[in-house]
């Protein structure tokens, strides 16, 4: 039971962590909470759903390439949608009060939910099962091939992201922009490009999280982003919003807490724990676990 | 092209508050030009407008005969019009080395960046010792060195330095002015903005005196050092 919950927690945590990165990256660059990110996740899940249900697997041996295509399309679609949302709904408000883009984001969120509800239907749809499912025994606990896949993909993506942000020229430009837009421009950095890149990456990871969520729970629905969105946002706040490693750690912590709550306390009320954590963090450690600043000497 | 930079009738305001009331100035290639003026005179406003961070209401800025006053800040920086901002403003969470790499952001050739960095380390050995430290943990003087090094990494044609001596000890002030002279000898044109009039006039070829958004005097630095008004108002002599 214990190991089983750890495995469930890591699986959930993988999804929350990938999802949380989008909240934290956008916050880091624009100091804004992108409430529409939960709908980017949902649209990503739908892109995966459409590709999986319309595109046949040509040959059994093509399965890895097939899934690679599914994830790349979901990632690109979600990433591009995130950029378009930024250009239309946030960029014109960049110098307005902080509340304005927040309200705009909520508007985008409602719009995207309704758009998908009207075009794809209001009811839940089953997610195509094209991954061969196998169960393994791991120290007496059951672990499925899907769980291993979700965890492995999430860790791989987080590893690549970490390398990109810490090592590459553009990654450094992103961190510089997060610290100070004006000084970043003085370095010859086009801040608008960096912001777009942030939305592409954050949105793309959110889209992949959406597909993984669809595969794991076996369904998609127009409002599927709402609850996981609050949990991923909680994960970002828990880790210290704006901090990438914090979002990753926060996602896994939240996944494990939820899995244990579901397993040992009550599976019906498992969703409450994210809210409890969110409130506790905001009350007692609003900077989050990793949110401390480097002291600035003058 | 006679002048590297030509500013004409520049008017800049913050909302309704005017900060520059139609000022004109020029900088010839290879010069050190000082812009002296009290706190609030509009010196930072001028530099930020040349850099493209602020948009002028009226007037023009030409760099090498090209109008740059309508360009975004990042494009102006890529024309090698480089600013070392007031109060240093390094990226505190990034390491010393990353700060320097960002100075050379437009340069995509990693080897060139490395070579530039080695040159800076030779110039400022303390930065080499601290290269993996977050810039925010450096002392004020070290941060100023880093800000200068970061600016030089961009291979500037015009380097605008905003109050480099602010908050530094007299020994460090001396050192910073030495460095500025040295940089200039290597062929970089400099616009030096300072409240420390004496030191600036000692190293500059020419200078402008800015008072509440107007240029009230301009002459060779030598003549201004001997000017009675300047002596009274800016050099603390009676
Ligand atoms: N962001 C701002 N908003 C409004 N007024 C400003 C701003 N920055 C500077 N000012 C005003 O513009 C004038 C010139 O300021 P500044 O260029 O910073 O002077 P200096 O650099 O010479 O000390 C001052 O009166 C200052 O109060
Ligand atoms: Mg100033």
């Amino acid at each position: 039971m214990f190991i089983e919950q750890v495995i469930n927690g890591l699986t959930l945590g993988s999804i929350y962590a990938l999802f949380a990165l989008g909240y934290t990256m956008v916050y880091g660059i624009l100091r804004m909470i992108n409430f529409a990110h939960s709908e980017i996740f949902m649209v990503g899940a739908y892109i995966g759903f459409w590709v999986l249900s319309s595109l046949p697997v040509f040959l059994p041996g093509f399965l890895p390439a097939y899934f690679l295509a599914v994830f790349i399309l979901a990632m690109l679609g979600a990433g591009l949608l995130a950029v378009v949302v930024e250009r239309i709904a946030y960029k014109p408000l960049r110098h307005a009060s902080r509340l304005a883009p927040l309200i705009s984001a909520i508007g985008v969120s409602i719009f995207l939910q309704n758009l998908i509800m009207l075009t794809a239907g209001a009811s839940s749809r089953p997610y195509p099962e094209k991954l061969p499912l196998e169960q393994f025994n791991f120290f007496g606990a059951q672990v499925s091939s899907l769980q291993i896949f979700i965890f492995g993909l999430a860790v791989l993506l987080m590893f690549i992201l970490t390398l990109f942000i810490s090592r590459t020229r553009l990654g450094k430009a992103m961190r510089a922009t997060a610290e100070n837009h004006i000084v970043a421009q003085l370095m010859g950095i086009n801040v608008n490009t960096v912001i777009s890149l942030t939305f592409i990456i954050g949105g793309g990871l959110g889209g992949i999280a959406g597909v993984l969520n669809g595969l794991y729970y076996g369904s998609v629905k127009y409002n599927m982003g709402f609850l996981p969105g609050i949990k991923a946002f909680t994960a970002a706040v828990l880790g210290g919003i704006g901090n990438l490693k914090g979002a990753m750690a926060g996602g896994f912590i939240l996944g494990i807490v939820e899995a244990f709550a579901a397993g040992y306390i009550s599976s019906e009320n498992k969703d409450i724990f994210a809210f409890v954590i969110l409130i506790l963090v905001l009350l007692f450690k609003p900077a989050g676990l990793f949110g401390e600043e480097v002291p600035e000497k003058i | 092209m006679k002048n590297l930079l030509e500013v004409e009738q520049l008017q800049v305001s913050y909302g309704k508050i005017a900060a520059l009331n139609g000022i004109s100035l020029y900088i010839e290639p290879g010069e050190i030009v000082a812009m002296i003026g009290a706190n609030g005179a509009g010196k930072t406003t001028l530099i930020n407008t040349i850099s493209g961070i602020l948009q002028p209401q009226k007037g023009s800025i030409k760099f090498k005969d090209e109008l740059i006053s309508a360009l975004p800040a990042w494009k102006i920086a890529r024309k090698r019009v480089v600013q070392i901002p007031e109060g240093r403003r390094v990226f505190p969470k990034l390491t010393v080395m990353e700060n320097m790499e960002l100075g050379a952001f437009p340069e995509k050739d990693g080897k060139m960046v490395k070579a530039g960095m080695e040159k800076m380390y030779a110039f400022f050995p303390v930065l080499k010792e601290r290269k993996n430290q977050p810039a925010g943990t450096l002392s004020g003087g070290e941060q100023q060195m880093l800000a200068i090094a970061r600016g030089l990494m961009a291979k500037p044609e015009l380097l605008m330095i905003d109050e480099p001596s602010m908050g530094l000890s007299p020994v460090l002030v001396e050192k910073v002015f030495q460095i500025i002279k040295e940089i200039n000898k290597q062929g970089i044109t400099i616009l030096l903005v300072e409240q420390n009039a004496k030191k600036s006039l000692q190293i500059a070829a020419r200078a402008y005196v800015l008072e509440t958004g107007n240029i009230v005097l301009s002459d060779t630095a030598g003549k201004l050092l001997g000017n009675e008004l300047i002596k009274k108002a800016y050099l603390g002599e009676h």
Side-chain angles (χ1 to χ4, degrees):
Chain A
M1 175 86 163
F2 181 84
I3 296 175
E4 208 141 291
Q5 296 315 338
V6 172
I7 292 168
N8 290 342
L10 289 177
T11 312
L12 277 176
S14 299
I15 296 172
Y16 294 153
L18 287 180
F19 196 175
L21 282 166
Y23 285 106
T24 227
M25 288 176 77
V26 166
Y27 187 87
I29 295 278
L30 289 178
R31 302 287 181 271
M32 138 190 202
I33 295 161
N34 180 12
F35 276 119
H37 189 51
S38 50
E39 270 51 64
I40 302 295
F41 168 92
M42 177 270 290
V43 170
Y46 267 92
I47 294 172
F49 168 78
W50 288 319
V51 177
L52 283 164
S53 30
S54 57
L55 193 70
V57 188
F58 299 104
L59 286 169
F62 276 143
L63 207 62
Y66 179 80
F67 269 90
L68 189 66
V70 170
F71 281 106
I72 287 177
L73 286 172
M75 184 167 156
L76 284 180
L80 286 179
L81 178 64
V83 173
V84 169
V85 167
E86 193 274 329
R87 283 289 151 118
I88 295 175
Y90 307 154
K91 193 172 176 223
L93 300 170
R94 209 174 283 164
H95 302 287
S97 85
R98 284 166 65 98
L99 207 55
L102 221 62
I103 292 167
S104 187
I106 293 169
V108 169
S109 176
I110 294 170
F111 169 79
L112 287 174
Q113 281 200 29
N114 281 279
L115 182 74
I116 296 297
M117 187 181 77
L118 291 173
T119 53
S123 56
S124 163
R125 309 278 297 273
Y127 223 68
E129 281 179 25
K130 290 192 174 170
L131 265 185
L133 260 185
E134 279 179 56
Q135 297 285 337
F136 301 98
N137 194 310
F138 183 77
F139 293 107
Q142 288 286 305
V143 52
S144 75
S145 50
L146 181 61
Q147 288 179 311
I148 296 170
F149 175 76
I150 290 174
F151 181 71
L153 181 63
V155 169
L156 175 72
L157 289 171
M158 288 187 261
F159 180 71
I160 294 172
L161 178 71
T162 305
L163 277 188
F164 172 77
I165 297 286
S166 62
R167 299 286 167 81
T168 66
R169 189 172 154 269
L170 279 178
K172 286 168 197 165
M174 279 176 92
R175 283 187 288 142
T177 304
E179 289 203 24
N180 193 323
H181 284 211
I182 288 176
V183 184
Q185 290 178 59
L186 294 179
M187 305 294 114
I189 295 168
N190 182 347
V191 165
N192 285 326
T193 307
V194 170
I195 291 171
S196 296
L197 186 67
T198 307
F199 275 87
I200 287 193
I201 297 175
L205 293 175
I208 287 183
V211 178
L212 294 177
N213 193 84
L215 289 169
Y216 195 48
Y217 290 103
S219 67
V220 278
K221 198 179 174 187
Y222 72 94
N223 65 357
M224 66 179 279
F226 180 68
L227 261 184
I230 289 173
K231 291 172 187 170
F233 174 65
T234 302
V237 173
L238 176 63
I241 193 150
N243 182 311
L244 296 196
K245 292 210 172 77
M248 299 175 193
F252 283 113
I253 293 172
L254 207 74
I256 285 175
V257 167
E258 188 176 316
F260 274 88
Y264 289 100
I265 304 173
S266 149
S267 67
E268 275 157 40
N269 297 323
K270 68 181 167 55
D271 296 332
I272 292 172
F273 294 93
F275 293 93
V276 173
I277 290 177
L278 182 59
I279 291 165
L280 290 179
V281 173
L282 289 177
L283 280 178
F284 297 108
K285 203 160 187 325
L289 298 177
F290 299 84
E292 66 265 288
E293 304 269 287
V294 173
E296 277 175 55
K297 278 194 200 165
I298 307 287
Chain B
M1 174 192 88
K2 183 176 180 291
N3 297 325
L4 193 64
L5 187 83
E6 262 179 40
V7 174
E8 269 175 57
Q9 298 298 323
L10 197 66
Q11 257 184 50
V12 185
S13 57
Y14 297 96
K16 282 183 183 156
I17 307 158
L20 295 177
N21 309 315
I23 66 168
S24 302
L25 59 119
Y26 66 90
I27 301 175
E28 289 178 21
E31 282 190 308
I32 297 183
V33 171
M35 179 68 56
I36 58 182
N39 200 8
K43 305 182 297 297
T44 299
T45 304
L46 171 65
I47 282 196
N48 280 341
T49 311
I50 297 173
S51 275
I53 289 168
L54 295 170
Q55 306 307 317
Q57 266 72 46
K58 280 202 185 118
S60 68
I61 303 168
K62 281 186 191 155
F63 178 69
K64 298 208 273 189
D65 294 334
E66 185 194 350
L67 195 68
I68 59 166
S69 31
L71 294 179
W74 66 273
K75 280 193 179 162
I76 293 174
R78 287 179 176 216
K79 294 195 176 294
R80 304 195 188 276
V81 177
V82 173
Q83 173 185 158
I84 297 174
E86 188 176 30
R88 308 182 259 282
R89 300 228 252 157
V90 296
F91 299 108
K93 289 189 215 166
L94 271 57
T95 65
V96 167
M97 191 157 78
E98 287 169 340
N99 267 275
M100 289 171 66
E101 286 168 346
L102 282 160
F105 178 75
E107 176 61 71
K108 290 193 177 108
D109 181 351
K111 277 196 192 116
M112 296 282 282
V113 178
K114 264 254 144 45
M117 199 135 49
E118 287 308 322
K119 236 175 111 181
M120 288 307 122
Y121 286 150
F123 217 44
F124 306 106
V126 64
L127 296 182
K128 189 165 190 174
E129 288 164 33
R130 307 223 183 284
K131 66 180 179 181
N132 293 318
Q133 238 172 275
T137 63
L138 264 52
S139 73
E142 288 163 349
Q143 288 191 18
Q144 185 64 66
M145 302 299 152
L146 176 56
I148 295 173
R150 186 183 64 181
L152 291 174
M153 287 294 291
K155 301 214 165 88
E157 287 192 44
L158 173 63
L159 185 63
M160 305 184 287
I161 316 179
D162 197 350
E163 308 234 21
S165 70
M166 204 208 296
L168 297 188
S169 69
V171 179
L172 274 174
V173 170
E174 198 60 47
K175 182 165 181 203
V176 164
F177 276 90
Q178 279 306 320
I179 290 167
I180 293 170
K181 239 163 79 179
E182 183 61 33
I183 295 168
N184 177 249
K185 273 202 195 119
Q186 297 182 3
I188 297 171
T189 309
I190 288 172
L191 173 61
L192 173 63
V193 156
E194 261 295 344
Q195 287 189 53
N196 190 334
K198 193 168 185 177
K199 280 256 165 308
S200 322
L201 290 175
Q202 281 166 355
I203 64 167
R206 293 185 303 113
Y208 293 88
V209 180
L210 195 60
E211 265 176 24
T212 54
N214 297 296
I215 286 177
V216 293
L217 262 178
S218 72
D219 212 329
T220 62
K223 283 200 181 136
L224 286 176
L225 270 172
N227 183 304
E228 286 303 318
L229 280 170
I230 297 291
K231 277 186 180 170
K232 258 199 184 138
Y234 296 99
L235 303 177
E237 293 169 20
H238 300 280

